[in-house]
């Protein structure tokens, strides 16, 4: 069971990378929405696998192949439990959120989306939850439609939702926590409203998995995609949850080994779920590293992580709002663990370049949300994003650096 | 303030970023080129009035960081009166300078950008409007930076 109040500073010691100087200053790593750091337990799991168990999965009869297959499938069961899916048949390993969404756009979308159908998105989507649908729309003659947001606060304008959920809508794909604004969307409510009308739903969980409790049955979505590397896991591994009934009716995407039952020169039959969607030798160390990451997170407790992230974000938001010449984006209240901001007359890239020289790692740019930036009327924002190993003292240091930047530009 | 930062953000750069010169549309421009940096969203249009091979007037519009804006401001001031061959030669020298840090005496105010070489991620900011200018003297078009080496689209 997770402890009620984790020893945050002891956890920090599990991340050797955080203990270093950058440009002569202690590193303050505030780019967690891009990728998180990895605890020793995850690195050790990868080393152990390669030093002891490495072999190809599912096809071997020898001992090492049995071990790697067992570890690979144990990771699938761990991921099922992490999302509270009904069955491991509903867990497909992917390279990450982007690949999960592309799989659905191609395999499910290719079969079920027709000319004149509408794919409903929100105005705060990441490019990875826009572009695959644009490509699908181009191929099929379907149309895209967007749920609008309310200004800089970046909440969905839910009054407009009913009028957008028309009979032509076949899919509603939405981000759970916005990577550019920090908005936490009421996905369970949105999915329920869509489901009543027979609309299939997809939740982009890139910023929510590993930052809060996620129960796909409680959310009631048909698909949920996330990335391992943002939640202490290795890069190149993620998972896609798909409700069994929907996946059973979805044709495969990639063809090759592993996804077949029988192959004839002219006709093949497909393997069962979830293997139907996993062609070729998969990333094996990835799921094993992810397994270690999910164990690590659940030992801390995801409710604890959510509270900690929120505390960091609220504190940073409040400290920034006390400064002159700061424009803040995203909701004032409950939010994911990040703050997006702009300083008057200073471009986000200049903010990030100067902060870096003080050891503070931020991100500046459009955050792969160009349409959202256009909507907000800004070319880019600077973003500080947090995880459980960050501290209030680091936020204080970040604020000092922001003051330095303002002085430097005479604002 | 950190020395490298002072090298990057020299007085002349901060001043041009704050009050950019030639920051307007030239209604009688006969050459227009658009430069974007898709990774960071920098976005500039360079307008030229050319008489044969010679740049008679130059201006720019758009948005981006202090480095890219100051670079476009100085560029549009400096290339007035120069030929296409001059602009192309200067592009090569600016490119060398921002990647190596070496500025010879002929660079004048442009030497302020030599400090950019210590910030590899910012080289594309300094060079963006130069790519657009090079495309404009050659007839116009759109250029886009991808990584270190911008290419024409």
């Amino acid at each position: 069971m997770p402890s009620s109040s984790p020893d945050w500073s002891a956890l920090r010691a599990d991340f050797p990378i955080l203990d270093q100087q950058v440009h002569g200053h202690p590193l303050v790593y505030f780019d967690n929405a891009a990728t998180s750091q990895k605890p020793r337990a995850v690195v050790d799991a990868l080393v152990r696998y390669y030093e002891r168990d490495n072999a190809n999965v599912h096809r071997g009869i020898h001992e090492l192949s049995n071990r790697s297959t067992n570890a690979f499938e144990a990771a699938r069961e761990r991921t099922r439990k992490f999302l509270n899916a009904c069955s491991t048949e509903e867990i497909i390993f992917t390279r990450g959120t982007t690949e999960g969404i592309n799989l659905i756009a191609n395999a499910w979308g290719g079969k079920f989306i027709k000319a004149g159908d509408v794919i409903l998105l929100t105005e705060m989507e990441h490019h990875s939850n826009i572009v695959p649908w644009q490509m699908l729309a181009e191929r099929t003659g379907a149309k895209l439609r967007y749920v609008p947001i309310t200004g800089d606060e970046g909440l969905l304008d839910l009054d407009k939702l009913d009028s957008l959920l028309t009979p032509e809508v076949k899919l509603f794909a939405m981000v759970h926590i916005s990577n550019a604004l920090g908005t936490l969307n009421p996905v369970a409510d949105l999915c329920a409203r869509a489901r009543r009308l027979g609309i299939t739903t997809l939740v982009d969980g890139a910023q929510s998995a590993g930052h809060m409790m996620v129960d796909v049955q409680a959310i009631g979505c048909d698909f949920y995609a996330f990335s391992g590397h943002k939640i202490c896991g290795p890069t190149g591994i993620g998972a896609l949850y798909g409700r069994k009934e929907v996946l059973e009716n979805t044709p495969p995407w990639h063809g090759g080994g592993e996804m077949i039952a029988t192959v004839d020169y002219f006709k093949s039959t497909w393997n069962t779920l979830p293997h139907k969607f996993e062609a070729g030798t998969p990333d094996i160390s990835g799921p094993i590293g992810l397994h270690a990451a999910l164990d690590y997170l659940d030992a801390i407790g995801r409710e604890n992580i959510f509270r900690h992230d929120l505390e960091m974000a609220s504190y940073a938001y409040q400290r920034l709002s006390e400064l002159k010449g700061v424009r803040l984006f995203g909701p004032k209240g409950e939010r994911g663990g990040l703050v997006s901001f702009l300083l008057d007359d200073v471009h986000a890239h200049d903010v990030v370049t100067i902060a870096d020289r003080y050891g503070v790692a931020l991100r500046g740019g459009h955050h792969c949300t160009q349409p959202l930036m256009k909507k907000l009327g800004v070319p880019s924002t600077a973003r500080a994003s947090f995880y459980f190993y960050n501290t209030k003292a680091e936020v204080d240091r970040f604020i000092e650096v922001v003051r330095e930047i303002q002085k430097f530009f005479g604002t | 303030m950190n020395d490298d930062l002072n090298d990057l953000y020299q007085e002349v750069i901060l001043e041009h970023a704050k009050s950019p010169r030639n920051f307007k549309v030239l209604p009688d421009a006969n050459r227009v080129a658009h430069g974007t940096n898709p990774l960071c969203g920098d976005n500039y249009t360079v307008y030229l009035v050319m008489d044969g091979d010679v740049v008679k007037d130059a201006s720019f519009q758009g948005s981006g960081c202090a480095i890219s804006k100051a670079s476009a401001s100085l560029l549009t001031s400096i290339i007035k009166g120069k030929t296409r061959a001059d602009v192309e030669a200067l592009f090569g020298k600016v490119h060398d300078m921002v990647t190596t840090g070496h500025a010879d005496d002929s660079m004048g105010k442009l030497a302020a950008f030599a400090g950019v070489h210590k910030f590899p991620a910012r080289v594309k900011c300094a060079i963006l409007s130069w790519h657009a200018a090079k495309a404009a003297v050659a007839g116009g078009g759109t250029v886009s930076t991808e990584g270190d080496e911008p290419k024409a689209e």
Side-chain angles (χ1 to χ4, degrees):
Chain A
M1 275 299 287
S3 57
S4 54
S5 178
D7 182 350
W8 299 110
S9 60
L11 290 171
R12 195 176 161 93
D14 293 334
F15 295 80
I17 199 169
L18 296 174
D19 182 22
Q20 66 173 297
Q21 303 270 312
V22 168
H23 301 302
H25 300 278
L27 169 65
V28 173
Y29 186 78
F30 279 178
D31 195 17
N32 293 288
T35 198
S36 77
Q37 298 303 345
K38 324 299 174 198
R40 270 206 190 90
V42 169
V43 179
D44 289 349
L46 296 176
V47 171
R48 203 164 49 241
Y49 167 71
Y50 279 120
E51 288 188 347
R52 214 187 53 176
D53 303 327
N54 176 55
N56 209 334
V57 291
H58 296 136
R59 279 175 291 283
I61 297 174
H62 57 79
E63 169 63 17
L64 295 192
S65 179
N66 285 339
R67 278 193 221 154
S68 65
T69 303
N70 289 343
F72 184 79
E73 290 304 325
R76 196 188 306 277
E77 164 55 23
R78 185 66 187 82
T79 307
R80 181 207 65 75
K81 194 174 148 205
F82 183 72
L83 298 176
N84 194 33
C86 292
S87 152
T88 51
E89 293 176 293
E90 299 178 317
I91 304 297
I92 302 160
F93 286 125
T94 64
R95 284 189 294 141
T97 310
T98 299
E99 190 177 61
I101 296 171
N102 275 277
L103 192 161
I104 296 311
N106 283 276
W108 179 88
K111 181 172 174 185
F112 292 104
I113 298 290
K114 307 278 183 240
D117 287 348
V118 169
I119 298 161
L120 182 63
L121 306 169
T122 83
E123 282 184 344
M124 65 175 87
E125 296 308 314
H126 188 280
H127 294 166
S128 62
N129 202 22
I130 297 177
V131 181
W133 306 117
Q134 286 175 344
M135 292 163 76
L136 177 65
E138 187 112 320
R139 281 199 303 279
T140 58
K143 291 189 216 88
L144 302 185
R145 195 184 279 169
Y146 290 88
V147 182
I149 59 158
T150 59
D152 285 5
E153 212 184 345
L155 296 170
L156 290 178
D157 188 352
L158 294 176
D159 293 344
K160 303 232 164 64
L161 188 60
D162 282 332
S163 64
L164 291 167
L165 288 170
T166 57
E168 302 82 52
V169 178
K170 293 291 180 299
L171 175 81
F172 184 10
M174 67 206 85
V175 70
H176 197 172
I177 294 179
S178 157
N179 73 308
L181 298 164
T183 312
L184 171 57
N185 287 318
V187 290
D189 176 48
L190 299 179
C191 288
R193 287 166 77 172
R195 201 165 183 173
R196 276 200 291 277
L197 302 167
I199 297 165
T200 302
T201 52
L202 179 147
V203 175
D204 168 356
Q207 301 295 338
S208 61
H211 288 266
M212 60 188 291
M213 278 310 291
V214 170
D215 177 334
V216 289
Q217 295 186 65
I219 292 171
C221 53
D222 293 297
F223 301 111
Y224 178 95
F226 76 93
S227 303
H229 72 93
K230 292 186 195 288
I231 56 170
C232 294
T235 51
I237 187 66
L240 170 70
Y241 158 81
R243 207 155 54 77
K244 188 177 171 187
E245 189 192 333
V246 185
L247 286 183
E248 275 175 341
N249 292 321
T250 302
W253 181 24
H254 291 150
E258 184 60 34
M259 51 76 71
I260 47 83
T262 60
V263 178
D264 176 280
Y265 279 124
F266 299 101
K267 175 89 186 139
S268 300
T269 57
W270 312 139
N271 202 340
T272 51
L273 289 177
H275 310 290
K276 176 169 92 173
F277 295 104
E278 293 179 354
T281 294
D283 178 357
I284 303 166
S285 64
I288 290 168
L290 179 64
H291 188 159
L294 303 186
D295 283 348
Y296 187 86
L297 295 174
D298 280 342
I300 302 169
R302 279 178 275 165
E303 297 93 340
N304 290 329
I305 293 173
F306 181 76
R307 268 201 307 277
H308 180 275
D309 283 5
L310 178 60
E311 201 182 318
M312 291 294 123
S314 303
Y315 183 56
Y317 190 99
Q318 178 229 319
R319 293 288 319 266
L320 282 169
S321 69
E322 288 162 9
L323 302 177
K324 278 190 188 133
V326 179
R327 180 173 167 190
L328 284 153
F329 301 89
K332 291 187 176 73
E334 192 170 72
R335 51 158 55 230
L338 63 92
V339 174
S340 216
F341 65 99
L342 271 180
L343 305 183
D344 286 356
D345 302 321
V346 187
H347 192 277
H349 290 159
D350 297 312
V351 171
V352 175
T353 292
I354 298 176
D356 172 59
R357 291 287 151 157
Y358 285 98
V360 179
L362 303 176
R363 179 148 295 237
H366 50 61
H367 314 293
C368 292
T369 56
Q370 286 182 17
L372 173 64
M373 294 292 124
K374 257 183 219 161
K375 169 93 184 187
L376 296 170
V378 298
S380 58
T381 70
R383 180 186 74 189
S385 56
F386 315 103
Y387 213 5
F388 55 84
Y389 39 68
N390 292 125
T391 66
K392 272 192 164 176
E394 287 182 312
V395 176
D396 289 335
R397 171 68 182 152
F398 156 69
I399 296 293
E400 268 173 41
V401 169
V402 169
R403 288 292 303 124
E404 284 295 324
I405 296 165
Q406 289 183 314
K407 270 188 234 159
F408 188 72
F409 283 93
T411 59
Chain B
M1 179 57 73
N2 179 299
D3 284 348
D4 285 348
L5 283 175
N6 284 327
D7 282 351
L8 178 65
Y9 295 105
Q10 299 210 8
E11 271 307 311
V12 59
I13 292 180
L14 290 176
E15 198 270 318
H16 273 262
K18 215 164 202 177
S19 323
R21 321 294 195 270
N22 313 306
F23 192 59
K24 61 187 175 191
V25 176
L26 282 181
D28 49 348
N30 52 8
R31 300 289 172 80
V32 178
H34 192 61
T36 63
N37 182 342
L39 294 178
C40 34
D42 291 348
N43 195 329
Y44 291 101
T45 305
V46 170
Y47 301 88
L48 302 181
V49 177
M50 287 191 75
D51 182 4
D53 222 20
V54 179
V55 178
K56 288 289 181 195
D57 204 356
S59 74
F60 78 106
Q61 281 270 280
S63 68
C65 62
I67 306 298
S68 60
K69 191 170 270 181
S71 178
S73 172
L74 272 160
L75 166 127
T76 47
S77 307
I78 280 163
I79 65 170
K80 283 179 201 171
K82 294 215 170 358
T83 64
R84 175 180 171 178
D86 292 338
V87 173
E88 287 171 350
L90 203 49
F91 170 88
K93 285 172 109 173
V94 171
H95 190 277
D96 286 350
M97 178 179 71
V98 297
T99 49
T100 66
H102 178 73
D104 69 35
D105 296 342
S106 70
M107 296 304 275
K109 277 186 176 177
L110 289 175
F113 290 93
V116 172
H117 87 280
K118 289 180 193 159
F119 297 79
R122 307 304 299 275
V123 166
K124 58 185 185 291
C125 310
I127 204 74
L128 177 60
S129 60
W130 284 94
H131 275 283
K134 195 174 156 214
V137 292
T142 295
V143 291
S144 158
T145 63
E146 274 296 341
D148 286 335
E149 211 37 66
K151 293 182 194 80
E153 270 180 350

